[in-house]
């Protein structure tokens, strides 16, 4: 898709569950980076360096772990207008393959610590960020919080998604308008 559509930059929006107690439903997290918490090769030993210890989230042979947001896109997103009543901050976001309940988020606390204590967790962003990195495409992710650390996203997810889209749209519009595409 990147080659077919000649993608110059990627802005990826969606929702995420909070991993910090001070994040509330509707708050926006601008991803400073993405990490795949499911990627766990910590038991794998390199034949040429058996003393090397992989970290959770690290892709072996590439030594990629955190997929950082593009500095320019991140700076633009930080300057962008957003609804006044909606808190917005930057931080690491984790991705995995599991829709997490509050109980499961608590069970995974040691995992969050092993991947640098992300702000939030979702299911797709690290994969998209990894592909953008492989193709040298500038990447930015924006996530609206769908559930608190101790809450549940199932209450009215579809209605929330509409509100989340409305909250992140001003940021997306500003970044697209101000970004200097090459």
């Amino acid at each position: 898709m990147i080659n077919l559509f000649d993608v110059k930059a990627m802005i990826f929006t969606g929702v995420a569950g909070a991993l910090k107690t001070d994040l509330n439903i509707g708050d926006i997290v601008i991803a400073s980076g993405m990490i795949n918490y499911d990627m766990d090769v910590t038991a794998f030993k390199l034949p040429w360096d058996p003393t090397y210890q992989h970290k959770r989230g690290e892709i072996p042979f590439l030594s990629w772990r955190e997929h950082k947001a593009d500095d320019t896109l991140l700076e633009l997103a930080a300057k962008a207008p957003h609804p006044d009543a909606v808190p917005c901050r930057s931080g690491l976001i984790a991705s995995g393959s599991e829709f997490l309940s509050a109980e499961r988020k608590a069970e995974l606390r040691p995992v969050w610590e092993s991947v640098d204590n992300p702000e939030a967790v979702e299911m797709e962003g690290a994969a998209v960020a990894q592909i953008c990195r492989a193709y040298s495409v500038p990447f930015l992710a924006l996530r609206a919080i769908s559930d608190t650390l101790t809450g549940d996203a199932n209450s009215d997810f579809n209605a929330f998604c509409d509100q989340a889209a409305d909250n992140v749209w001003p940021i997306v519009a500003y970044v697209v308008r101000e970004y200097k595409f090459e």
Side-chain angles (χ1 to χ4, degrees):
M1 300 288 287
I2 286 173
N3 290 334
L4 181 65
F5 293 104
D6 193 29
V7 174
K8 301 296 184 197
M10 174 72 68
I11 303 172
F12 193 55
T13 64
V15 298
L19 292 176
K20 304 289 184 178
T21 57
D22 62 337
L23 280 170
N24 295 300
I25 293 173
D27 290 1
I28 297 170
V29 178
I30 302 167
S32 58
M34 303 292 302
I35 191 165
N36 181 349
Y37 74 86
D38 275 340
M39 185 63 182
D40 185 0
V41 295
T42 54
F44 178 66
K45 299 296 179 193
L46 298 170
W48 57 88
D49 186 2
T51 63
Y52 182 77
Q53 180 64 52
H54 289 90
K55 294 179 180 175
R56 182 179 281 271
E58 182 179 354
I59 301 169
F61 308 110
L62 295 176
S63 297
W64 290 358
R65 187 166 182 254
E66 181 182 335
H67 308 291
K68 296 200 178 288
D70 177 76
D71 289 338
T72 302
L73 292 172
L74 192 58
E75 183 180 314
L76 287 170
K79 286 192 230 178
H82 60 278
D84 289 336
V86 180
C88 184
R89 71 189 201 203
S90 180
L92 180 65
I93 297 178
S95 293
S97 59
E98 187 178 352
F99 190 85
L100 301 175
S101 65
E103 294 78 22
R104 185 70 174 132
K105 286 186 218 174
E107 289 171 10
L108 292 172
R109 188 170 295 119
V111 172
W112 310 138
E113 291 170 3
S114 73
V115 294
D116 304 326
N117 293 303
E119 300 289 317
V121 61
E122 47 90 81
M123 297 177 69
E124 313 88 7
V128 175
Q130 180 181 329
I131 294 303
C132 287
R133 184 176 183 179
Y135 282 86
S136 299
V137 171
F139 174 83
L140 177 69
L142 306 169
R143 291 290 184 261
I145 298 300
S146 58
D147 51 290
T148 63
L149 180 61
T150 58
D152 188 352
N154 288 323
S155 56
D156 195 358
F157 189 76
N158 290 332
F160 169 75
C161 286
D162 289 341
Q163 184 60 48
D166 290 343
N167 288 349
V168 299
W169 171 246
I171 300 172
V172 172
Y174 179 85
V175 171
V176 169
R177 186 175 56 250
E178 299 297 321
Y179 186 71
K180 305 299 182 218
F181 293 93
E182 295 180 17

